[in-house]
Amino acid sequence: MYLKGTRMATSSIAIERTHSSRLAGVDMTNLPFGTVFSDHMVVADYAEGRWGPATVRPYAPLALPPSISALQYGLSVFEGLKAHRDAEGRVLLFRAPENAARLNRSAARLAMPEVPESLFLDSLRTLLDIDRDWVPPATAGALYIRPCLFAVDESLRVKPGERFAFLIATCPVGAYFTGATDVLVSETFVRAFPGGTGDIKAAGNYAAAFIADADAKAQGFSTVLWLDGLERRFVEECGVMNVFFVFADRIVTPALSGTILAGVTRHSVLTLLREMGHQVEERRVAIEEVCAAHDRGELREVFGTGTAATVSPVGRIRYRGCDLVLPPLEQRQVGPAVRERLVGIMTGLLPDPYGWVERL
Ligand SMILES: Cc1ncc(COP(=O)(O)O)c(C=O)c1O
């Protein structure tokens, strides 16, 4: 693995507090997604083969040269996770070590240095401690956490980066209740292909997908149901979510084939569905199988899973001009039940038998 085993110069975290908190101006009962940022952020720099100490400092624009390879060559990877506030007011962080590990898998694929787990987790805990008042009340939403790692080399040479920045910013976000979303099977675009970067959170994956999303929206759909890049037959993901199909007698989600992001929510939902006694298969799912199950009246539910929406029901799938209409939300059982269980664990309402939640 490229640049593995890098060290932090020191584990101490420097803190520079803001003198003018913006919190009072924020309406925690009416939060948009991803545009309101909390007072502080984490910044750490990597140069000459080692990480410098992390700093928690006021959230502010960065001064960077125009030539940085994050801008020029897309050397940038990121993560997304959430912290909730429980009924007693404590901050609960959900499965953060999984995100630290996935960031490093993303980094390795783009020949970037690993971020030591202690740098990721300790700086995040410090940030959450300082900005704890930014975590919305239990019923209002959550604090969305955005770590990212990108190359800051001041050079236009086309080569792996040598200097990097690691940042963590956070956004209070509202509770995410969606109705059913309608999705369009994209036959024009693919998001991933074997040997590519579909299984990591490379910034460029998202850039390449926006046109398909725009195309879907222009036709009245919320997002895209992605098929595999080789045969254009097998369902991979639903927008920026993993996808689950509830057939009459089993639940199926596409196996992690190397072109699908290993969602933390996907893994959590798989674990909970099995605990709830469902038979769940991880395997390839051909779009023809989905159409055939629909035609036989056996396609009970389709839902996406991801940090932002947790579990999000699909209402209609359009494939080759035909609409697969799913049963109304009132008739859904599996998706709502697993969502309730998962959100209960995340927010401290239910016991956490898997040790997923860290109380800060
Ligand atoms: C492409 C893609 N698939 C799936 C997911 C769901 O992953 P997670 O459950 O870790 O949020 C995300 C979001 O991170 C994503 O961007």
Side-chain angles (χ1 to χ4, degrees):
M1 197 177 293
Y2 195 80
L3 296 175
K4 194 178 161 77
T6 51
R7 290 170 296 123
M8 278 178 74
T10 162
S11 62
S12 63
I13 297 165
I15 297 170
E16 189 192 321
R17 285 176 187 268
T18 182
H19 298 298
S20 52
S21 172
R22 291 172 280 105
L23 183 58
V26 175
D27 177 2
M28 285 284 181
T29 62
N30 185 21
L31 291 163
F33 187 89
T35 52
V36 175
F37 291 88
S38 58
D39 279 333
H40 298 89
M41 62 181 182
V42 169
V43 183
D45 295 317
Y46 178 97
E48 294 172 7
R50 59 194 284 145
W51 283 100
T55 306
V56 174
R57 66 179 200 215
Y59 177 88
L62 305 167
L64 289 166
S67 61
I68 61 169
S69 22
L71 282 179
Q72 303 293 338
Y73 306 121
L75 271 179
S76 180
V77 296
F78 69 99
E79 270 304 321
L81 64 159
K82 272 181 180 169
H84 293 84
R85 187 182 289 282
D86 72 7
E88 284 81 51
R90 282 172 305 187
V91 175
L92 309 182
L93 185 56
F94 188 72
R95 303 195 74 177
E98 298 297 327
N99 296 90
R102 191 170 65 186
L103 183 78
N104 284 338
R105 294 200 296 276
S106 299
R109 175 63 179 79
L110 297 195
M112 300 165 100
E114 291 191 346
V115 175
E117 188 189 60
S118 57
L119 168 55
F120 185 114
L121 294 179
D122 292 345
S123 63
L124 175 56
R125 290 179 188 121
T126 306
L127 178 65
L128 292 179
D129 187 40
I130 290 175
D131 278 344
R132 58 175 45 246
D133 293 343
W134 284 85
V135 184
T139 48
L143 192 73
Y144 181 79
I145 300 163
R146 169 53 57 89
C148 66
L149 168 68
F150 56 94
V152 295
D153 295 71
E154 194 169 1
S155 162
L156 294 180
R157 286 181 56 206
V158 184
K159 60 170 187 50
E162 289 174 5
R163 302 186 57 185
F164 298 88
F166 172 63
L167 305 181
I168 309 178
T170 68
C171 301
V173 295
Y176 204 110
F177 297 116
T178 57
T181 53
D182 294 345
V183 300
L184 176 69
V185 177
S186 180
E187 294 191 76
T188 313
F189 303 104
V190 293
R191 71 168 287 282
F193 43 85
T197 57
D199 60 343
I200 63 159
K201 283 183 81 74
N205 290 353
Y206 299 80
F210 289 140
I211 189 169
D213 215 54
D215 189 33
K217 288 196 168 69
Q219 296 185 53
F221 293 83
S222 303
T223 190
V224 174
L225 193 66
W226 297 106
L227 299 181
D228 76 283
L230 285 184
E231 297 181 58
R232 311 277 177 109
R233 255 191 88 198
F234 296 100
V235 179
E236 298 216 314
E237 304 205 42
C238 181
V240 291
M241 291 186 288
N242 296 115
V243 62
F244 286 71
F245 297 91
V246 182
F247 297 123
D249 58 344
R250 68 199 60 217
I251 302 171
V252 184
T253 191
L256 299 178
S257 55
T259 52
I260 292 174
L261 190 79
V264 177
T265 320
R266 174 187 181 278
H267 181 269
S268 309
V269 163
L270 276 171
T271 306
L272 296 175
L273 287 173
R274 288 182 173 132
E275 173 206 89
M276 292 155 84
H278 293 288
Q279 185 184 337
V280 193
E281 297 172 359
E282 292 173 74
R283 61 164 170 83
R284 299 217 288 186
V285 189
I287 187 70
E288 296 91 343
E289 178 184 352
V290 178
C291 295
H294 172 264
D295 293 349
R296 288 194 305 273
E298 292 181 359
L299 183 60
R300 305 269 191 270
E301 297 180 33
V302 178
F303 56 83
T305 64
T307 296
T310 319
V311 174
S312 174
V314 171
R316 179 169 59 115
I317 300 173
R318 176 166 294 172
Y319 176 56
R320 297 197 168 161
C322 293
D323 281 350
L324 313 184
V325 179
L326 277 291
L329 293 188
E330 316 80 75
Q331 291 175 22
R332 315 266 180 120
Q333 291 173 352
V334 177
V338 78
R339 179 181 206 280
E340 196 182 322
R341 176 108 182 80
L342 179 58
V343 172
I345 294 173
M346 286 172 163
T347 55
L349 280 174
L350 295 176
D352 170 29
Y354 306 103
W356 288 340
V357 171
E358 179 180 342
R359 292 186 141 72
L360 300 175

